Amino acid sequence: MSADAAPILLWFRRDFRLTDHPALDAAARSGRPVIPVFLNDEVVRTYGAAPTWRLGLAAEAFAERLKGIGSRLTFREGRAAEALARLADETGARTVWWTRAYDPASLARDEAVKEALVARGVDCADHPGHLLFEPESVRTGQDGYYKVYTPYWRKVKDRDPGPALTAPTALQAPDGWPETDDPAIWGLGTAMNRGAAIVAPHCHVGEAAAQTRLAVFLRDRVEGYATARDIPAMHGTSGLSENLTYGEISIRSCWHSAQRAIAEGKRGAPTFLKELVWREFAYHLLYHTPRLITGNWRPEWDAFPWNEDAAGDDATAWKRGRTGMPFVDAAMREMFVTGTMHNRARMIVASYLTKHLMCHWKIGMHWFEECLIDWDPANNAMGWQWSAGSGPDATPFFRVFNPETQLDRFDADRTYIRRWIAEGRDDPDPCALAYFDAIPRRWGMAADDAYPDPIVTAAEGRARALDAYRGRDL
Ligand SMILES: Cc1cc2nc3c(=O)[nH]c(=O)nc-3n(C[C@H](O)[C@H](O)[C@H](O)COP(=O)(O)OP(=O)(O)OC[C@H]3O[C@@H](n4cnc5c(N)ncnc54)[C@H](O)[C@@H]3O)c2cc1C
């Protein structure tokens, strides 16, 4: 087979969409047969329970979407380099394309794939699509990378990320399709146990659902977004993190929608655009400093006396929503039932874990990695280091969120607390009760238990944290 007629293997990882997908667009335009592939590979196997389960849903929904343009998704399992080499041999493909990733684990895998395939005469190329601006392309005046959000924002806010690409209407099929695994036998959802049935109704899976979500947000919520986005009991935000993390919608489509909303004079649209750029900034940081995931971004924090016991009493009470601090517990339960957590609540639970309980931020980061359907390697790591004080552009350690006064400010009528905490109520909310169906039975928790006293009060926790902080050069 001549290289011009040989099929292209198009490897999908976290980019499950047809619209504004540069690699797919290029493959469709090439006129060559295209074989879309999804791999249960060495990186996927490191994902936590909820992200793995949700990834499986994303891949299956995308397989259906591909059928609509005369194509199909081939599912394979194994180390990426070997699985792709085998597929190239079986299909005669001399080209493998994918959308570029930026987290250290994916980068290492992709390098290994390139090395192995190029050695066999198979061309490999990565394409943009996960971000608005490639991390190397945004430079400071001193030709460095940005460590602080505001100057980063100023640098990119007037840039043009280019027009969003339209979805191809057809993909040329190969002469024969390769054999495919049945993804059901991989058991991607098994670690979720009974939690999957509770979280499933809260998911918006697939490209069409993501586009509807954006359209509804722009129609109903963007106007009031700047203030409503801070109230956990309200549905004031877009909810798009679940879709952006699996690439079910492109960040560029969101950017252009935000720009249109700004032009239409929608009041909350400028704030929405800025939030989209926080995601961009997180990837910029992660790409330039992979230690954002692995250790304290500021090494001076290495000597801080963190409690590193992820199975200790404090961390366990936090994970189970039994700290006795209603705002914290409500948020942790929201995450278990819906697979997501409101941004304000994320800041509060992170501050409480790292400051009041002085537990290492990595304990929280890893727990979120297990539980969030919108888990994103860059946003999660940046969010935790920001909250703990150990990151670049972080909230200072001495800024300790008080979970009681935060409650008065952001949940004054206690709607959020009532929604998520059942103990001590005659007529608990169905959401609060759903928590007990989602958690492992071995936790031994029941809705009619007494609600616990605080494991540490707001005042004690704050004083202890500030004591530990004082005298250190942080
Ligand atoms: C400790 C901690 C952990 C976090 N973990 C994650 C995570 O795993 N995955 C994740 O997507 N976000 C994470 N965030 C950021 C933020 O909480 C979520 O992006 C947001 O709650 C998603 O809801 P939404 O899509 O309705 O956001 P909207 O308010 O509608 O914002 C639109 C989009 O902008 C981006 N965005 C908004 N806020 C932030 C932010 N603070 N940082 C980076 N990007 C942002 C997201 O892509 C979001 O989908 C974390 C924040 C903290 C403090």
Side-chain angles (χ1 to χ4, degrees):
M1 201 182 315
S2 82
D4 284 352
I8 297 170
L9 292 181
L10 200 53
W11 177 23
F12 288 87
R13 298 103 61 86
R14 297 176 78 89
D15 49 341
F16 298 107
R17 63 178 183 278
L18 301 181
T19 306
D20 198 25
H21 190 301
L24 174 65
D25 182 71
R29 285 173 194 279
S30 73
R32 289 159 60 185
V34 180
I35 302 177
V37 184
F38 173 70
L39 302 177
N40 181 15
D41 62 26
E42 65 270 34
V43 170
V44 171
R45 281 191 229 110
T46 64
Y47 292 165
T52 307
W53 170 71
R54 180 60 178 78
L55 177 73
L57 299 184
E60 289 186 39
F62 186 60
E64 286 303 310
R65 191 106 176 139
L66 280 171
K67 285 185 193 162
I69 56 166
S71 189
R72 53 169 91 155
L73 190 59
T74 296
F75 291 87
R76 289 288 175 100
E77 195 167 25
R79 289 189 74 76
E82 289 148 27
L84 289 168
R86 247 192 325 274
L87 257 176
D89 286 349
E90 287 169 28
T91 59
R94 312 311 311 149
T95 309
V96 185
W97 287 349
W98 60 80
T99 301
R100 189 177 176 199
Y102 306 88
D103 60 288
S106 301
L107 282 171
R109 173 196 59 191
D110 297 352
E111 271 312 303
V113 165
K114 265 190 197 158
E115 204 174 301
L117 293 191
V118 169
R120 303 165 73 103
V122 178
D123 274 349
C124 294
D126 56 20
H127 292 247
H130 192 64
L131 299 179
L132 293 162
F133 311 111
E134 294 307 303
E136 309 88 338
S137 73
V138 187
R139 310 294 297 171
T140 64
Q142 290 72 42
D143 199 30
Y145 65 92
Y146 283 88
K147 303 181 182 89
V148 178
Y149 170 81
T150 304
Y152 178 88
W153 157 253
R154 277 198 222 107
K155 183 82 176 183
V156 301
K157 71 183 173 50
D158 299 318
R159 266 208 195 180
D160 178 7
L165 304 164
T166 51
T169 49
L171 268 191
Q172 189 170 328
D175 289 340
W177 287 103
E179 275 182 25
T180 178
D181 288 352
D182 175 1
I185 63 165
W186 295 346
L188 293 179
T190 48
M192 285 286 277
N193 297 320
R194 61 202 186 116
I198 304 293
V199 178
H202 298 278
C203 294
H204 295 241
V205 180
E207 185 170 10
Q211 288 169 347
T212 303
R213 203 171 214 175
L214 176 61
V216 169
F217 172 71
L218 293 168
R219 190 192 63 203
D220 299 342
R221 295 204 293 276
V222 71
E223 176 72 26
Y225 174 76
T227 43
R229 65 180 287 273
D230 253 330
I231 311 296
M234 284 181 76
H235 298 291
T237 66
S238 70
L240 282 164
S241 53
E242 177 193 354
N243 308 106
L244 282 166
T245 196
Y246 302 102
E248 293 170 336
I249 194 162
S250 80
I251 187 73
R252 188 157 60 175
S253 304
C254 298
W255 163 281
H256 287 307
S257 297
Q259 294 286 13
R260 275 193 297 276
I262 292 171
E264 288 162 11
K266 297 273 172 68
R267 274 183 306 143
T271 311
F272 181 58
L273 191 74
K274 280 190 166 173
E275 294 305 318
L276 296 176
V277 171
W278 268 106
R279 172 185 183 273
E280 201 70 12
F281 178 58
Y283 274 94
H284 181 80
L285 277 180
L286 179 60
Y287 179 76
H288 289 291
T289 52
R291 70 177 185 281
L292 189 68
I293 283 186
T294 50
N296 295 308
W297 194 91
R298 295 174 188 277
E300 53 274 30
W301 278 90
D302 290 352
F304 190 74
W306 301 112
N307 175 351
E308 301 203 28
D309 186 358
D313 289 348
D314 285 355
T316 300
W318 178 83
K319 289 176 185 174
R320 296 183 180 179
R322 292 278 292 171
T323 66
M325 224 15 108
F327 209 161
V328 174
D329 294 342
M332 298 305 287
R333 294 172 187 210
E334 176 188 23
M335 176 165 69
F336 233 80
V337 172
T338 67
T340 64
M341 188 194 287
H342 190 275
N343 181 57
R344 167 110 342 236
R346 290 186 212 216
M347 294 193 291
I348 286 164
V349 302
S351 173
Y352 185 80
L353 182 73
T354 56
K355 296 179 180 175
H356 287 88
L357 299 183
M358 283 177 53
C359 288
H360 202 293
W361 55 268
K362 279 196 198 175
I363 295 175
M365 184 181 77
H366 290 314
W367 187 243
F368 273 27
E369 251 171 75
E370 278 300 309
C371 302
L372 284 175
I373 57 167
D374 73 355
W375 170 72
D376 177 289
N379 285 359
N380 194 35
M382 181 183 72
W384 275 98
Q385 296 237 36
W386 181 91
S387 302
S390 56
D393 197 10
T395 176
F397 190 83
F398 56 77
R399 184 169 171 223
V400 180
F401 279 114
N402 179 325
E404 287 164 345
T405 50
Q406 289 279 310
L407 197 57
D408 291 338
R409 279 184 67 192
F410 299 108
D411 191 39
D413 63 3
R414 305 297 190 260
T415 304
Y416 186 65
I417 301 301
R418 275 198 308 278
R419 186 179 300 156
W420 293 113
I421 297 186
E423 292 97 321
R425 303 209 177 278
D426 295 336
D427 186 16
D429 191 287
C431 292
L433 291 175
Y435 175 69
F436 299 92
D437 295 328
I439 58 176
R441 288 193 177 87
R442 66 189 153 75
W443 287 7
M445 289 171 62
D448 53 8
D449 289 346
Y451 185 66
D453 291 332
I455 52 175
V456 55
T457 66
E460 282 162 5
R462 179 185 157 82
R464 188 175 62 180
L466 292 182
D467 262 0
Y469 173 77
R470 222 163 273 131
R472 289 175 192 276
D473 189 16
L474 297 171

